[in-house]
Every structure is written in C-alpha cells, then in structure tokens.
Amino acid sequence: RRIPQMLNQWRIGNRAISAWEPEIVPIGDMRDSVLALIGFGRIARAVATRAQAFGMRCLAYAPTVSEWEVRSYGVRQVPLDEAFGAADVVSVHLPLTPGTHHFVSTDLLALMKSSAVLINVARGELVDEDALVQAVEGGQIRGAVLDVYRGELEGQPPRRELVELPHILLSPHISARGADLREERK
C-alpha cells in the first residue's frame, strides 16, 4: 500500500490526503493479482486462504507436496520459473537448508515482472541480498518486504542498503508475533 512513501510524506508535513496523494504512485488492487507461494507448508497454506479472500489468484511452487493437496486449497501448482514469472507478489515460505541458501537468486529475480514485489517471511539467507538490492535499485522489480534478513538470528542489524532503499520495507522478524504468542511463552 506504499506505506513507507506515505509515511515519508507525513514526516515532511504533508498530512492531508490531498497533499501526499499526488506524490505516491498507486500500486493497484489485489483483486485478480497473482500470488506465488514458494513452498507450501502450514504458513503458506494460511497465506493462500487469506489472499484468496482478497481476490488474489494463488500459485505454488511445492515440489514436495502432492498436486491434489495443493489443489485442495484452491491453488495451482506450477514450476518454479512460472511461479516467479507470472506473479505480482512472490512470497517465500521455504525452510533454510544447504540446498535453499540464496534460493532467491539473480536468475529468479530476473524472471519477475518489473511491477512485482518479493516477500520473505521465512529465513533471511533464502534471499541473495546483493541480488535483491541490485534488482530493486535497477527497477527490475518494484520492491520487497522482508521480515527476515541475513544475520538477524545472530542479532545483527539489516544491511544499510536494505534499510535505505525506499522500495524495501523491513520489519524485525515480527510476522508471527502477537499477544496470543506472548501469553503462550509465559
């Protein structure tokens, strides 16, 4: 929803909608957009259910899940290149293994539409951050939303390029945090 750009307008004093709206390029509607889920475990299945409620069409790259199981969620199973090439939003839901380190690479980012957004809520090391920065800076993709980043599990801050790029939205690994989770840990 272009929240970082809107907040920047608010910070410089453009608080009325008529003041900041002309400065913000709209991103369009979610209806009829395509969400590609990379991995199709418990969280990706929950995301698919919610995305479909907003009218999104869902694809999944899920080589370890049967086609009938993916289809039972109203999702179409596709090859990896089709998932990245057809999506308006790519959401990564893979476990981190030696085989998935830097899974989202220069080659996969090159398949994405220039209007597409990458979301990573799984593990930071799944995305090659150098390739992501280049893709966003070069306008190869519209942007990224990262709830995880390289080194965050060791308490390292995100790279400065990730923080400073206006088309990357970062959150501090809070996508699964909620009051119910806090209560559960007490």
Side-chain angles (χ1 to χ4, degrees):
R1 305 304 307 167
R2 313 301 286 179
I3 291 170
Q5 292 80 9
M6 184 182 67
L7 289 176
N8 285 338
Q9 290 295 313
W10 274 51
R11 286 184 186 109
I12 64 172
N14 293 336
R15 300 234 166 100
I17 292 174
S18 61
W20 59 258
E21 192 172 44
E23 304 299 321
I24 308 295
V25 177
I27 61 169
D29 200 331
M30 291 172 56
R31 282 184 302 248
D32 293 323
S33 63
V34 176
L35 170 65
L37 299 156
I38 309 304
F40 202 66
R42 180 179 50 87
I43 295 170
R45 293 168 193 203
V47 169
T49 300
R50 287 157 178 80
Q52 290 169 356
F54 286 101
M56 295 184 87
R57 291 180 288 128
C58 296
L59 308 175
Y61 168 72
T64 61
V65 180
S66 70
E67 188 174 343
W68 69 264
E69 189 171 4
V70 173
R71 230 183 8 250
S72 73
Y73 284 85
V75 176
R76 187 166 60 94
Q77 192 167 13
V78 297
L80 185 61
D81 59 341
E82 185 177 340
F84 272 81
D88 297 297
V89 178
V90 173
S91 188
V92 181
H93 300 273
L94 296 171
L96 180 61
T97 67
T100 60
H101 184 266
H102 285 185
F103 186 87
V104 179
S105 63
T106 300
D107 292 341
L108 287 177
L109 292 167
L111 295 174
M112 293 176 69
K113 299 175 186 177
S114 61
S115 58
V117 174
L118 176 75
I119 297 174
N120 185 10
V121 293
R123 293 288 177 250
E125 289 79 5
L126 293 169
V127 175
D128 179 342
E129 291 180 359
D130 293 330
L132 176 63
V133 166
Q134 287 180 339
V136 172
E137 282 182 332
Q140 191 174 352
I141 66 171
R142 177 172 277 173
V145 179
L146 306 174
D147 188 49
V148 290
Y149 48 86
R150 181 178 69 201
E152 59 100 9
L153 292 176
E154 293 81 33
Q156 298 173 11
R159 300 170 49 171
R160 188 169 65 212
E161 298 94 339
L162 296 177
V163 174
E164 292 176 353
L165 279 170
H167 299 288
I168 294 181
L169 179 60
L170 292 169
S171 62
H173 203 159
I174 59 169
S175 64
R177 301 282 189 252
D180 55 338
L181 182 63
R182 256 192 313 258
E183 291 301 317
E184 206 174 275
R185 290 186 175 170
K186 286 184 180 180

